[in-house]
Amino acid sequence: MISILKFNESLHINIAATEKTAISDFSMNIKAFFVALRYYHIDKTNTTYYMILLDKPYVSKFLKETIVKYDFPALDTGNITEHGELSLISPEEIIKNFQNDSNSRLYTNSENSINWVVKNLGFTKLPEYINVFKNKVEFRKLIQKMYPNFFFREVGLKELDAIKLEELPMPFIIKPAVGFLSLGVHKVLNQEDWARVKQLIKDEFTEAQSLFPIEVVNASSFLIEEIIEGEEFAFDAYFDEVGEATLLGISKHLFSSDTDVSDRVYYTSKETIKQYLEPFTQFVQQLGKEANLKNFPVHVEVRVDKNGVLIPIEVNPMRFGGWCTTADLTYFAAKLNPYHCFLKNIKPDWKQVLEEMDDEIYSLVILDNSTGIPSKEIASFNYDALLGKFVQPLELRKVDYKMYSIFGMLYTKTPKNQFSEIEEILTSDLKEFVE
């Protein structure tokens, strides 16, 4: 009898403890749920299928962690992941998902996957969306009604020597109709400058076409357009199943001079996002209507002049910033995950996000080889010396510079009163770090 009583007492205690733990866990989960609600508006009209294509040249640790955390189906189209690193799906599954649900969503970290999409998902709207943005000439035609006075002209590579400069607005920009990472983008200031630029273009594309597919870099056609004045910005966004646009981060692109066209520094901050969130959202919504975009992510580059007039530079389809750059920068700065937002149809509560952000400046530094020394002749890069130049480096991503002519990507957090460290790296030729 005593043993039974002891058993009952023990059972009662265990049940009570279990109930207490369950209540505690439930309370924690409810608390986490409402914390999440502070940052997101979750759209109940979520799509059935959401998938990610992974390809070269780079997949960030953060994107991989996102795939694992949310169990996002992923396909490696470029042998970029290690065996067993991620649980991957088959190409047939992605094709079947789109056949079953036209509202399915697909994100890719790299435009190298475009060829796969065109070949396998030709029955969807994706190839059409890709072409109108990937081809910069087609993009200019798309927005011609929005900007009827903007000058642009398409020319072939073999036509460069026959161009009559008096027919063009001087100065002007020339860039490949299909390009990547400012490759082949040049500002022409005068007739003497034009001779130099033409030779640079020929040299650059001889190397680039051995590294990237023709869908990513194509030197057969170039776009000549008037100079777009003003400050430059990049932002990520997506369109939902009814075409409504949602912004997922804004960064400012810094330049070292009027002739600089490199991608050395982008930065974001509470102040930057707050100032441009509304006008950029209005623009991208109008853009989406022109192209009838739905269930589609984009990376947009624009300039804003001194009068506040916005003119787009280009739109990159099916992804956010290349090399997992701008989406990861947004996460560092705002603790907002753009990959998760797009794939799960989540619309950030920007008012709350901005209230929670600090006042620091978060920068992405792209360490392109500006040394003047061919990458193959550089024995090493002193990353430790580089990191010593910054108050708070957040993450360094080393890159095979002999292959891509980029030493790496650096994310930093900088107090406003120490922004000089960003200005210094912006103008540095990086020679002090190489051997």
Side-chain angles (χ1 to χ4, degrees):
M1 186 68 172
I2 295 175
S3 61
I4 293 175
L5 289 174
K6 286 184 177 179
F7 173 77
N8 286 337
E9 180 181 356
S10 173
L11 180 62
H12 175 74
I13 292 171
N14 289 336
I15 291 174
T18 302
E19 289 176 343
K20 184 176 180 181
T21 300
I23 291 171
S24 175
D25 290 344
F26 177 76
S27 299
M28 289 177 66
N29 290 333
I30 288 294
K31 182 179 180 181
F33 174 74
F34 281 105
V35 167
L37 283 184
R38 291 193 304 168
Y39 290 93
Y40 303 127
H41 292 309
I42 302 177
D43 196 321
K44 294 180 181 179
T45 59
N46 207 347
T47 53
T48 306
Y49 303 108
Y50 37 84
M51 299 147 285
I52 297 179
L53 300 182
L54 301 175
D55 212 313
K56 295 175 181 177
Y58 185 82
V59 181
S60 71
K61 179 183 177 183
F62 176 58
L63 178 53
K64 292 177 183 178
E65 290 173 345
T66 297
I67 291 171
V68 173
K69 181 177 180 179
Y70 298 105
D71 196 25
F72 287 144
L75 172 67
D76 185 345
T77 58
N79 296 318
I80 187 67
T81 60
E82 299 292 332
H83 179 69
E85 182 180 15
L86 296 171
S87 179
L88 302 173
I89 62 174
S90 68
E92 290 74 21
E93 287 181 77
I94 292 181
I95 296 169
K96 184 178 180 180
N97 288 344
F98 272 94
Q99 290 173 337
N100 292 336
D101 188 352
S102 61
N103 277 328
S104 294
R105 295 191 180 187
L106 187 63
Y107 178 85
T108 178
N109 69 299
S110 169
E111 291 182 10
N112 287 5
S113 297
I114 284 177
N115 188 42
W116 188 93
V117 174
V118 172
K119 287 182 178 179
N120 294 280
L121 299 175
F123 59 92
T124 71
K125 284 282 188 178
L126 292 179
E128 176 186 330
Y129 293 162
I130 289 169
N131 182 64
V132 77
F133 292 122
K134 188 58 188 168
N135 187 308
K136 296 176 177 61
V137 175
E138 293 301 314
F139 172 61
R140 285 293 170 207
K141 292 177 181 178
L142 172 71
I143 61 172
Q144 197 164 18
K145 292 180 181 178
M146 296 169 61
Y147 301 93
N149 298 320
F150 187 83
F151 177 89
F152 69 93
R153 178 184 297 179
E154 181 179 15
V155 297
L157 179 62
K158 296 180 180 180
E159 299 175 290
L160 293 182
D161 289 325
I163 289 176
K164 296 179 180 179
L165 292 182
E166 61 269 17
E167 297 178 357
L168 304 178
M170 188 70 73
F172 62 85
I173 291 287
I174 182 168
K175 54 188 174 183
V178 178
F180 182 61
L181 272 180
S182 293
L183 183 65
V185 179
H186 295 281
K187 181 182 290 188
V188 179
L189 301 176
N190 49 50
Q191 187 169 355
E192 293 74 23
D193 204 29
W194 177 230
R196 177 187 64 83
V197 167
K198 284 190 293 184
Q199 188 57 50
L200 278 175
I201 289 174
K202 295 171 184 177
D203 293 342
E204 287 171 344
F205 279 90
T206 298
E207 179 180 4
Q209 289 184 317
S210 66
L211 296 176
F212 300 100
I214 193 169
E215 293 82 8
V216 176
V217 177
N218 189 342
S220 63
S221 179
F222 285 82
L223 173 67
I224 291 177
E225 61 184 19
E226 66 179 83
I227 295 288
I228 303 174
E229 302 291 350
E231 297 181 309
E232 186 168 318
F233 298 87
F235 62 89
D236 299 321
Y238 78 86
F239 301 89
D240 66 15
E241 70 288 339
V242 295
E244 182 179 338
T246 297
L247 245 70
L248 298 174
I250 299 171
S251 56
K252 186 173 182 178
H253 186 182
L254 294 184
F255 296 97
S256 61
S257 68
D258 290 340
T259 57
D260 182 17
V261 292
S262 72
D263 287 320
R264 174 61 60 84
V265 173
Y266 291 83
Y267 78 81
T268 190
S269 66
K270 177 194 293 189
E271 183 179 322
T272 302
I273 297 173
K274 188 174 183 180
Q275 181 176 356
Y276 293 100
L277 182 63
E278 184 176 346
F280 288 1
T281 301
Q282 291 174 351
F283 163 75
V284 79
Q285 185 66 69
Q286 185 178 1
L287 176 69
K289 288 182 180 179
E290 292 292 333
N292 194 29
L293 299 177
K294 295 178 181 178
N295 299 303
F296 198 70
V298 290
H299 175 72
V300 185
E301 297 174 12
V302 301
R303 285 209 170 196
V304 179
D305 69 17
K306 60 184 178 181
N307 297 317
V309 177
L310 181 155
I311 299 180
I313 301 170
E314 63 183 44
V315 176
N316 301 117
M318 276 195 66
R319 64 170 176 86
F320 302 137
W323 293 65
C324 299
T325 49
T326 53
D328 292 23
L329 180 63
T330 295
Y331 183 76
F332 279 121
K335 299 298 180 284
L336 183 74
N337 189 329
Y339 309 116
H340 182 223
C341 288
F342 165 61
L343 290 171
K344 297 297 286 183
N345 208 30
I346 296 171
K347 304 178 187 301
D349 181 349
W350 276 109
K351 181 179 179 181
Q352 185 63 43
V353 172
L354 290 169
E355 286 179 3
E356 296 289 334
M357 286 180 67
D358 59 36
D359 294 320
E360 310 293 83
I361 293 172
Y362 292 79
S363 301
L364 162 67
V365 180
I366 300 177
L367 302 164
D368 57 301
N369 182 7
S370 55
T371 63
I373 306 170
S375 296
K376 294 179 180 180
E377 297 178 14
I378 296 175
S380 63
F381 188 92
N382 193 334
Y383 294 100
D384 291 335
L386 171 77
L387 294 176
K389 299 286 185 179
F390 297 91
V391 175
Q392 190 173 347
L394 298 174
E395 183 175 319
L396 172 66
R397 300 174 177 177
K398 299 178 182 179
V399 174
D400 183 350
Y401 58 84
K402 293 184 184 294
M403 177 176 288
Y404 294 107
S405 292
I406 297 174
F407 299 112
M409 313 274 186
L410 176 65
Y411 292 85
T412 69
K413 179 179 179 179
T414 307
K416 289 182 178 179
N417 61 1
Q418 293 181 283
F419 192 68
S420 58
E421 68 178 21
I422 301 301
E423 294 172 331
E424 288 175 9
I425 197 66
L426 176 64
T427 57
S428 172
D429 60 12
L430 304 182
K431 284 183 179 180
E432 62 181 299
F433 305 112
V434 302
E435 294 181 2

